């Protein structure tokens, strides 16, 4: 008449990271299904790829951007902790986190290092997500732009930076 989760199932059901990964897998399966349908219909006539093939949804759908940002933060948390544990600035720094997601790295740097200011550069939908996440951090600025197509000097309004972080740039590039 009913079913119950095992102890392992209960832990999995309450693990935020596991939930994010399972949601991401569901998105991937939908995208793979679209790609499969696209590949099966290619016969030389139209070569129009499905809209779910690339990450365009993130660029136009704020909910997709939020899910993606949570997934990146969840996946990158341990790398950020290990990186920041090994690096200690010896002077005040201005840091640009290009394609910085929701600004997790910038927030962690500002918490650990009192003389650091950060700018998170993101596409408009992700920038809105980052602005919300970084709202309580006065040393973090979030700007909208595209690192590959806009002039970084213009985006930064002439401000110079000491360090540029580009940890999530290559995964978003097409072929």
């Amino acid at each position: 008449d009913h079913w119950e989760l095992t102890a392992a199932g209960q832990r999995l059901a309450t693990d935020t990271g596991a939930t994010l990964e399972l949601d991401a897998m569901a998105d991937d399966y939908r995208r793979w299904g679209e790609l499969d349908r696209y590949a099966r219909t290619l016969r030389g006539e139209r070569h129009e790829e499905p809209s779910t093939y690339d990450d365009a949804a993130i660029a136009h759908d704020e909910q997709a951007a939020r899910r993606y940002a949570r997934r990146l933060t969840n996946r990158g948390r341990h790398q950020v902790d290990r990186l920041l544990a090994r690096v200690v600035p010896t002077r005040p720094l201005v840091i640009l986190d290009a394609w910085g997601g929701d600004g997790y790295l910038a927030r962690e740097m500002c918490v650990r290092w009192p003389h650091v200011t950060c700018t998170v550069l993101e596409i408009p939908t992700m920038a809105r997500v980052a602005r919300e996440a970084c709202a309580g951090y006065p040393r973090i600025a979030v700007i909208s732009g595209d690192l590959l197509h806009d002039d970084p000097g213009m985006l930064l309004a002439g401000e110079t930076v000491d360090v540029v972080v580009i940890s999530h740039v290559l995964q978003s590039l097409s072929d």
Side-chain angles (χ1 to χ4, degrees):
D1 289 340
H2 72 284
W3 58 274
E4 293 181 21
L5 289 175
T6 64
Q10 289 173 357
R11 284 192 308 274
L12 183 63
T14 58
D15 183 331
T16 305
T19 302
L20 291 170
E21 287 301 319
L22 290 171
D23 288 346
M25 286 173 60
D27 288 343
D28 289 343
Y29 285 133
R30 275 193 293 281
R31 203 171 14 209
W32 294 336
E34 288 292 317
L35 283 174
D36 183 54
R37 281 189 286 285
Y38 167 68
R40 290 172 187 266
T41 60
L42 277 182
R43 294 193 184 102
E45 55 272 2
R46 286 185 13 210
H47 287 38
E48 189 175 310
E49 294 190 30
S51 61
T52 56
Y53 173 70
D54 61 10
D55 293 325
I58 293 168
H60 302 291
D61 178 357
E62 198 165 322
Q63 291 299 359
R66 288 180 196 290
R67 283 192 309 273
Y68 182 69
R70 284 193 308 266
R71 183 178 178 196
L72 278 181
T73 298
N74 185 60
R75 284 186 171 179
R77 187 176 315 274
H78 300 296
Q79 289 109 341
V80 167
D81 289 342
R82 285 195 308 265
L83 171 68
L84 298 184
R86 289 177 174 82
V87 176
V88 179
T90 58
R91 63 182 176 83
L93 293 174
V94 178
I95 299 172
L96 171 65
D97 188 2
W99 291 357
D102 70 349
Y104 177 72
L105 175 62
R107 292 191 309 271
E108 285 298 307
M109 287 188 286
C110 286
V111 165
R112 295 173 194 223
W113 304 333
H115 302 294
V116 165
T117 58
C118 297
T119 299
V120 177
L121 170 63
E122 260 299 353
I123 61 173
T125 51
M126 289 295 287
R128 286 193 295 273
V129 172
R131 278 188 197 96
E132 287 177 17
C134 297
Y137 297 81
R139 292 181 287 126
I140 299 176
V142 178
I143 58 175
S144 296
D146 184 340
L147 178 69
L148 299 176
H149 300 102
D150 296 333
D151 177 357
M154 294 298 289
L155 292 171
L156 295 171
E159 179 184 355
T160 59
V161 296
D162 300 300
V163 178
V164 177
V165 179
I166 55 170
S167 63
H168 296 291
V169 173
L170 296 178
Q171 70 193 31
S172 298
L173 298 177
S174 62
D175 292 340

